Amino acid sequence: MDQWWNDLAFIHWPVEPASVVRFFPPGTRPDVWSDGQTYVALVPFAMRRAGFGRGLPVPYFGSFLETNIRLYSVDDAGRHGVLFRSLEAARFAIVPFARIGFGMPYTWARMSLDATSRRDGDVVTYDSVRRWPRRGLRSRLSLRLGEVVEPTPLETWLTSRWGAHSRVAGRTVWVPNEHAPWPLREASLLELDDDLLAASGVRAAGVPLRALWSPGVRARFGRPSLVR
């Protein structure tokens, strides 16, 4: 699959690894940074021009807003990836397809992305209200965009993820992806009113890291393989 991830924000919190082990499928475990912590992220963005192979993007269904809550994973083969706790999507048809075909916990939500230019800088606001399941869960994030930054080693480790782990038909799978390095800007957190992190069952162990925003990258997903 070929797609673009645009207008993407990263909000990260540290997490005690022992508190999230139960969420990881067999053959995987929490990926831990040198500080002894793993991390959880709130990541809203716009999916654009998604399609199969290198052909044309899928009309209508290939572009939609998405917000995910993700943990950081590693398997016994040493592949570092992400493990999704939830993925809000503004296209209902995506939800059953992704749940059945890829084991991804997609949900249906009403979503919006608003970007405005102000005298004190550009502001980006993401809004999401869950429609199904657990109707009514909300997430609102507003950021003032700052300067282009070089990511710290930890930020590089968190954003440079080359695949995802999932559970499909009772088996743990690895779905590889590739993309260019993220062009990143630091961002000031103006507002964060979020139900999704608490609903995921993940409890943060500290304050969030600095917020990051990116205009986006092109990503390609490969064929899933079993985790042994």
Side-chain angles (χ1 to χ4, degrees):
M1 296 186 68
D2 193 5
Q3 55 199 238
W4 287 85
W5 298 331
N6 294 137
D7 302 312
L8 183 144
F10 291 105
I11 308 294
H12 284 100
W13 292 264
V15 174
E16 292 291 341
S19 71
V20 292
V21 167
R22 67 188 186 278
F23 298 131
F24 286 74
T28 70
R29 59 190 182 275
D31 206 358
V32 177
W33 181 242
S34 59
D35 59 3
Q37 300 279 56
T38 189
Y39 285 80
V40 64
L42 170 70
V43 185
F45 66 102
M47 177 84 75
R48 304 293 188 205
R49 299 175 59 80
F52 292 96
R54 297 179 181 272
L56 294 174
V58 177
Y60 181 73
F61 297 106
S63 296
F64 55 91
L65 299 179
E66 182 173 319
T67 296
N68 63 63
I69 297 289
R70 71 189 204 181
L71 293 167
Y72 290 85
S73 56
V74 62
D75 62 28
D76 294 341
R79 294 174 294 195
H80 301 266
V82 298
L83 178 72
F84 294 107
R85 292 296 298 146
S86 65
L87 302 100
E88 315 294 297
R91 288 277 186 266
F92 175 73
I94 300 299
V95 175
F97 171 77
R99 280 177 170 258
I100 296 169
F102 295 98
M104 299 293 184
Y106 267 92
T107 65
W108 184 33
R110 184 175 69 251
M111 310 180 77
S112 66
L113 192 165
D114 179 59
T116 58
S117 294
R118 303 181 183 178
R119 185 172 300 176
D120 57 354
D122 294 338
V123 173
V124 179
T125 301
Y126 306 84
D127 267 305
S128 176
V129 181
R130 178 83 63 86
R131 289 177 165 176
W132 181 90
R134 298 187 65 180
R135 182 180 180 88
L137 293 178
R138 296 175 176 270
S139 182
R140 179 177 173 84
L141 171 65
S142 187
L143 300 171
R144 178 179 290 112
L145 306 186
E147 299 298 321
V148 174
V149 294
E150 287 294 325
T152 67
L154 173 56
E155 290 167 341
T156 298
W157 185 79
L158 290 167
T159 59
S160 299
R161 291 284 152 162
W162 310 113
H165 291 102
S166 185
R167 191 77 170 157
V168 181
R171 296 183 174 185
T172 304
V173 298
W174 160 258
V175 184
N177 74 57
E178 61 180 26
H179 57 78
W182 289 99
L184 294 168
R185 295 171 66 176
E186 65 178 345
S188 301
L189 186 59
L190 301 179
E191 182 180 0
L192 178 58
D193 184 7
D194 176 74
D195 298 330
L196 301 179
L197 180 59
S200 75
V202 179
R203 179 175 295 182
V207 298
L209 307 181
R210 71 170 174 176
L212 297 171
W213 183 89
S214 177
V217 295
R218 183 180 184 179
R220 295 184 178 91
F221 281 89
R223 294 181 180 273
S225 60
L226 291 178
V227 173
R228 301 186 185 278

Short mmCIF file of all heavy atoms in Angstrom, two decimals, residues 34 68 87 109 123 148 159 178 191 196 201 217:
data_model
loop_
_atom_site.label_atom_id
_atom_site.label_comp_id
_atom_site.label_asym_id
_atom_site.label_seq_id
_atom_site.Cartn_x
_atom_site.Cartn_y
_atom_site.Cartn_z
N SER A 34 16.54 4.06 26.75
CA SER A 34 17.62 3.95 27.72
C SER A 34 17.26 4.48 29.10
O SER A 34 17.95 4.20 30.08
CB SER A 34 18.87 4.67 27.20
OG SER A 34 18.60 6.04 26.96
N ASN A 68 -4.61 8.23 16.18
CA ASN A 68 -4.33 6.96 16.84
C ASN A 68 -3.64 7.13 18.18
O ASN A 68 -2.97 8.13 18.44
CB ASN A 68 -3.55 6.00 15.92
CG ASN A 68 -2.19 6.50 15.52
OD1 ASN A 68 -1.33 6.69 16.37
ND2 ASN A 68 -1.98 6.71 14.21
N LEU A 87 -7.53 3.48 16.71
CA LEU A 87 -7.32 4.31 15.52
C LEU A 87 -8.68 4.88 15.12
O LEU A 87 -9.53 4.15 14.60
CB LEU A 87 -6.73 3.52 14.36
CG LEU A 87 -5.40 2.80 14.59
CD1 LEU A 87 -5.64 1.32 14.86
CD2 LEU A 87 -4.49 2.93 13.37
N ALA A 109 -15.29 7.79 13.63
CA ALA A 109 -15.40 9.05 14.36
C ALA A 109 -15.74 10.19 13.40
O ALA A 109 -15.47 10.12 12.20
CB ALA A 109 -14.09 9.37 15.09
N VAL A 123 -1.63 28.07 13.72
CA VAL A 123 -2.28 27.21 14.71
C VAL A 123 -3.01 26.09 13.98
O VAL A 123 -3.73 26.33 13.00
CB VAL A 123 -3.25 28.01 15.60
CG1 VAL A 123 -4.05 27.08 16.50
CG2 VAL A 123 -2.49 29.03 16.43
N VAL A 148 11.44 24.83 12.56
CA VAL A 148 11.95 23.52 12.18
C VAL A 148 13.04 23.10 13.18
O VAL A 148 13.87 23.93 13.59
CB VAL A 148 12.52 23.55 10.75
CG1 VAL A 148 13.19 22.23 10.40
CG2 VAL A 148 11.41 23.88 9.76
N THR A 159 9.84 8.43 16.43
CA THR A 159 9.19 8.72 15.15
C THR A 159 9.67 7.84 14.01
O THR A 159 8.96 7.70 13.01
CB THR A 159 9.38 10.20 14.77
OG1 THR A 159 10.78 10.50 14.66
CG2 THR A 159 8.75 11.12 15.81
N GLU A 178 7.99 1.77 5.04
CA GLU A 178 9.17 2.61 4.83
C GLU A 178 8.72 4.01 4.49
O GLU A 178 7.67 4.22 3.87
CB GLU A 178 10.06 2.04 3.73
CG GLU A 178 9.39 1.95 2.38
CD GLU A 178 10.32 1.37 1.32
OE1 GLU A 178 11.24 0.62 1.66
OE2 GLU A 178 10.10 1.69 0.12
N GLU A 191 -4.00 23.51 23.66
CA GLU A 191 -5.15 22.83 24.27
C GLU A 191 -5.03 21.33 24.03
O GLU A 191 -4.68 20.89 22.94
CB GLU A 191 -6.46 23.34 23.66
CG GLU A 191 -7.71 22.71 24.27
CD GLU A 191 -9.00 23.22 23.65
OE1 GLU A 191 -8.93 24.07 22.75
OE2 GLU A 191 -10.08 22.74 24.07
N LEU A 196 -9.19 9.63 24.66
CA LEU A 196 -8.73 8.41 24.00
C LEU A 196 -7.61 7.70 24.78
O LEU A 196 -7.57 6.47 24.82
CB LEU A 196 -8.26 8.72 22.58
CG LEU A 196 -9.31 9.33 21.66
CD1 LEU A 196 -8.71 9.61 20.29
CD2 LEU A 196 -10.52 8.43 21.54
N GLY A 201 -6.65 2.34 28.20
CA GLY A 201 -6.15 1.57 29.33
C GLY A 201 -4.71 1.83 29.67
O GLY A 201 -4.16 1.22 30.59
N VAL A 217 4.97 12.85 5.21
CA VAL A 217 5.85 12.00 4.41
C VAL A 217 5.00 11.03 3.59
O VAL A 217 3.83 10.79 3.88
CB VAL A 217 6.82 11.17 5.29
CG1 VAL A 217 7.78 12.06 6.05
CG2 VAL A 217 6.05 10.26 6.25
#
